[in-house]
């Protein structure tokens, strides 16, 4: 078989392959190993001498012969099974570690995928809950009893009627108490004044402010006292307890007494305008006999009670509407809570997906390395540093023949030797023996 056929049996895979195994130590303690090594060196030396004699030391031919020597060295190394096993031991161990790493990566990937599945399921559940809550928020005003909410459906017509009535009644009370308080405490009556003019003065507000700030503030603010008392009717009526009923009764008495004072003051001024020398002094007994006295009382007191009752009714209706609104707000807060959880879960899902992607990339790279290691294990590891040792023996034999047998001048002989050494060095560079790599790996091209 010629050198070309030998070289075609193998193909260079890579230089170097990591990890780089340490060079095998030479066991010089074993006489048999030493004898075998010396015999192999001698064989290469003799081959170089013999081949040089056939080609008359030609350096061009030496290049071809070194290629054949390298092919021969490859075949010899391939046949050294025990040595190949030792050279491949580091690659075999690395392959086992890589396979263990792949298994661990698969376990991690399965764990991440299970986490991803659970996170997606949580997101779906939260989204479903949000949809239910939003549907309830829309349906609550129409069907509050469906959700155990004790409230009236929708906007009650009674609420709007009460609210509309409350406005003119409030305006009436403002007008009435501004006018009566001014008439009772600040107005001077004359004989020309009628009863209606004495009680209801269209200019009471402006007159009071013209007379002074205190008078103006008094008549302006006193209606709000009665409105506040009407508001208390609602507050005491909310909780139907014995104490609240007593407070409510006292409230009516206080209001009635205050209205009686206003009526008494007005009626007293009217009585003074019309009394004669025979008329007795004005007192409660006389006041109780006057229709105007009772008219003033009931014109304020009864309307005040009506205002309090209507206000109480409106507030109750509003409270019914507030129940629905509160339930909607509760659901809205839950929607926001679950939406926040979904946002957090989505961030966690993104992190898990990125982690799974990294794991898959690592698995692909690791499997590629395992396949590469398997190719190394299946191939032949060539210790290029050892080849340099035997190649040098071969070239020494080649040069020995030139020095001993070729009859040329010393200069020509030295030039020939230098050319052979250059060819030798080129060969070492070609096969990688002059590099820092200990081994090259060749794969079968079959």
């Amino acid at each position: 078989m010629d050198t070309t056929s030998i070289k075609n049996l193998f193909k260079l895979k890579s230089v170097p392959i990591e990890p780089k195994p340490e060079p095998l130590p030479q066991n010089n303690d074993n006489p048999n190993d030493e004898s075998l090594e010396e015999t192999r060196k001698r064989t290469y030396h003799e081959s170089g001498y013999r081949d040089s004699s056939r080609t008359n030391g030609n350096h061009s031919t030496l290049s071809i012969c070194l290629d054949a020597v390298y092919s021969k060295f490859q075949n010899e190394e391939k046949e050294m099974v025990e040595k190949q096993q030792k050279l491949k031991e580091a690659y075999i161990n690395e392959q086992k570690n890589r396979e263990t790493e792949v298994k661990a990566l698969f376990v991690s990937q399965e764990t991440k995928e299970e986490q991803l599945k659970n996170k997606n399921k949580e997101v779906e559940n939260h989204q479903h809950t949000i949809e239910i809550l939003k549907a309830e928020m829309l349906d609550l005003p129409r069907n509050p009893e469906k959700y155990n909410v004790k409230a009236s459906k929708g906007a009650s017509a009674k609420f709007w009627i009460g609210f509309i009535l409350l406005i003119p009644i409030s305006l009436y009370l403002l007008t009435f108490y501004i006018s009566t308080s001014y008439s009772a405490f600040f107005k001077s009556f004359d004989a020309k004044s009628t009863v209606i003019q004495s009680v209801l003065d269209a200019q009471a507000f402006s007159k009071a402010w013209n007379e002074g700030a205190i008078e103006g503030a008094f008549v302006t603010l006193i209606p709000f006292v009665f409105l506040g008392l009407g508001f208390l009717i609602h507050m005491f009526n909310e909780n139907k307890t014995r104490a609240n009923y007593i407070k409510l009764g006292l409230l009516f008495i206080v209001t009635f007494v205050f209205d009686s004072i206003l009526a008494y003051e007005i009626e007293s001024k009217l009585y003074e305008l019309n009394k004669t020398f025979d008329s007795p002094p004005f007192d409660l007994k006389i006041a109780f006999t006057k229709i105007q006295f009772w008219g003033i009382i009931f014109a304020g007191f009864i309307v005040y009670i009506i205002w309090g009752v209507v206000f109480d009714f409106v507030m109750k209706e509003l409270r019914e509407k507030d129940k629905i609104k509160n339930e909607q707000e509760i659901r809205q807060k839950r929607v926001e809570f679950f939406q926040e959880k979904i946002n957090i879960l989505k961030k966690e899902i993104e992190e898990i997906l990125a982690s799974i992607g990294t794991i898959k990339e690592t698995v692909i790279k690791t499997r590629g390395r395992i396949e590469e290691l398997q190719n190394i294990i299946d191939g032949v590891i060539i210790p290029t540093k050892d080849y340099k040792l035997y190649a040098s023996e071969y070239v020494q034999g080649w040069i020995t023949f030139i020095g001993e047998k070729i009859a040329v001048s010393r200069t020509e002989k030295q030039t020939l030797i230098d050319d052979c050494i250059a060819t030798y060095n080129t060969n070492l560079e070609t096969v990688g023996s002059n590099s820092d790599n200990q081994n090259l790996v060749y794969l079968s091209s079959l």
Side-chain angles (χ1 to χ4, degrees):
M1 182 180 295
D2 57 18
T3 58
T4 303
S5 300
I6 294 172
K7 288 168 65 179
N8 285 339
L9 287 175
F10 299 92
K11 177 182 178 183
L12 182 61
K13 174 63 177 176
S14 62
V15 182
I17 296 296
E18 295 295 339
K20 179 171 69 177
E22 296 295 330
L24 293 175
Q26 297 295 331
N27 188 358
N28 296 325
D29 296 335
N30 193 324
N32 293 330
D33 290 345
E34 184 177 357
S35 175
L36 181 61
E37 186 72 20
E38 291 299 323
T39 300
R40 192 177 182 190
K41 288 180 180 180
R42 186 170 56 254
T43 300
Y44 276 86
H45 187 91
E46 292 173 353
S47 296
Y49 188 92
R50 183 174 59 252
D51 292 342
S52 180
S53 66
R54 293 174 182 173
T55 61
N56 205 26
N58 186 278
H59 70 87
S60 299
T61 307
L62 175 61
S63 177
I64 299 173
C65 291
L66 284 173
D67 288 340
V69 168
Y70 186 65
S71 297
K72 175 186 176 183
F73 178 77
Q74 289 181 11
N75 290 331
E76 289 175 351
E77 291 295 324
K78 183 178 180 181
E79 296 300 325
M80 296 179 181
V81 177
E82 185 176 350
K83 183 178 180 181
Q84 286 292 313
Q85 288 177 345
K86 289 182 178 180
L87 290 172
K88 294 175 182 179
E89 185 174 351
Y91 301 109
I92 292 172
N93 291 336
E94 183 187 352
Q95 186 185 50
K96 290 179 180 178
N97 291 335
R98 296 285 185 172
E99 288 173 347
T100 302
E101 182 181 347
V102 168
K103 291 179 181 178
L105 287 170
F106 273 127
V107 172
S108 178
Q109 181 178 338
E110 289 176 357
T111 302
K112 295 291 183 182
E113 288 174 347
E114 184 65 24
Q115 291 177 354
L116 183 64
K117 181 180 178 181
N118 293 335
K119 298 289 183 185
N120 284 325
K121 186 65 177 177
E122 285 186 56
V123 170
E124 291 177 3
N125 291 338
H126 292 334
Q127 288 176 338
H128 181 65
T129 302
I130 288 174
E131 291 175 0
I132 292 175
L133 290 171
K134 288 183 176 179
E136 289 181 1
M137 289 167 64
L138 294 175
D139 193 44
L140 261 169
R142 295 188 294 268
N143 301 297
E145 70 281 352
K146 181 179 177 181
Y147 307 99
N148 297 320
V149 179
K150 296 179 180 180
S152 302
K153 298 180 181 180
S156 171
K158 293 183 290 183
F159 167 79
W160 291 112
I161 293 172
F163 180 75
I164 293 170
L165 288 175
L166 201 60
I167 295 173
I169 296 174
S170 299
L171 294 174
Y172 168 82
L173 288 175
L174 288 171
T175 303
F176 177 80
Y177 281 109
I178 287 174
S179 182
T180 54
S181 60
Y182 174 74
S183 297
F185 298 109
F186 306 111
K187 185 177 180 180
S188 297
F189 292 176
D190 55 42
K192 296 180 180 180
S193 300
T194 64
V195 175
I196 296 300
Q197 290 174 339
S198 300
V199 176
L200 301 177
D201 191 332
Q203 298 179 349
F205 185 79
S206 60
K207 287 179 179 180
W209 281 102
N210 289 334
E211 292 180 14
I214 295 177
E215 292 84 348
F218 181 82
V219 299
T220 302
L221 298 177
I222 197 169
F224 294 99
V225 174
F226 289 92
L227 293 177
L229 293 172
F231 176 76
L232 290 176
I233 293 176
H234 162 69
M235 297 300 295
F236 293 145
N237 197 36
E238 274 194 328
N239 298 319
K240 301 183 183 300
T241 62
R242 182 181 179 86
N244 280 345
Y245 282 129
I246 293 173
K247 293 176 183 177
L248 194 60
L250 292 174
L251 188 64
F252 285 139
I253 293 172
V254 170
T255 306
F256 182 82
V257 170
F258 194 85
D259 283 337
S260 298
I261 292 172
L262 291 177
Y264 182 85
E265 288 295 326
I266 295 172
E267 190 61 34
S268 174
K269 290 181 178 182
L270 291 174
Y271 181 81
E272 291 295 330
L273 288 175
N274 299 314
K275 75 176 181 176
T276 63
F277 290 106
D278 297 330
S279 299
F282 187 79
D283 55 16
L284 283 177
K285 184 177 179 181
I286 297 173
F288 287 160
T289 62
K290 300 293 184 180
I291 296 176
Q292 297 93 325
F293 175 81
W294 294 107
I296 294 171
I297 291 175
F298 288 106
F301 181 71
I302 298 301
V303 175
Y304 150 78
I305 293 176
I306 294 172
W307 185 92
V309 172
V310 173
F311 180 80
D312 180 64
F313 174 78
V314 170
M315 293 303 294
K316 286 181 179 179
E317 289 294 313
L318 187 61
R319 186 168 60 247
E320 295 296 310
K321 296 163 68 67
D322 285 342
K323 288 180 181 179
I324 295 174
K325 185 178 179 181
N326 289 337
E327 290 294 328
Q328 289 176 321
E329 289 177 352
I330 291 171
R331 283 162 175 77
Q332 179 61 36
K333 289 180 180 179
R334 292 187 65 194
V335 167
E336 294 171 358
F337 171 75
F338 285 116
Q339 188 60 54
E340 183 63 25
K341 293 191 70 173
I342 288 174
N343 294 336
I344 294 172
L345 286 170
K346 285 184 176 179
K347 290 181 180 178
E348 293 175 353
I349 288 172
E350 289 177 0
E351 293 175 358
I352 293 173
L353 287 173
S355 180
I356 291 174
T358 302
I359 291 172
K360 288 182 178 180
E361 290 179 3
T362 306
V363 168
I364 292 172
K365 291 179 181 178
T366 306
R367 280 179 166 176
R369 179 59 180 167
I370 290 173
E371 184 178 350
E372 190 178 65
L373 291 168
Q374 187 61 49
N375 290 335
I376 294 172
I377 294 168
D378 293 339
V380 179
I381 298 177
I382 306 301
T384 55
K385 297 297 183 183
D386 290 354
Y387 167 72
K388 184 176 182 180
L389 175 66
Y390 298 118
S392 65
E393 289 292 336
Y394 181 85
V395 174
Q396 286 177 19
W398 188 286
I399 293 176
T400 298
F401 174 80
I402 294 174
E404 292 178 352
K405 301 299 182 180
I406 297 180
V408 293
S409 66
R410 179 175 296 180
T411 301
E412 291 178 336
K413 185 176 290 188
Q414 186 60 47
T415 300
L416 183 59
I417 291 173
D418 290 342
D419 290 340
C420 290
I421 293 174
T423 300
Y424 165 69
N425 288 330
T426 300
N427 177 261
L428 292 181
E429 292 290 341
T430 302
V431 301
S433 289
N434 278 347
S435 67
D436 295 332
N437 303 310
Q438 170 63 24
N439 300 325
L440 294 178
V441 179
Y442 285 81
L443 308 177
S444 175
S445 62
L446 298 177

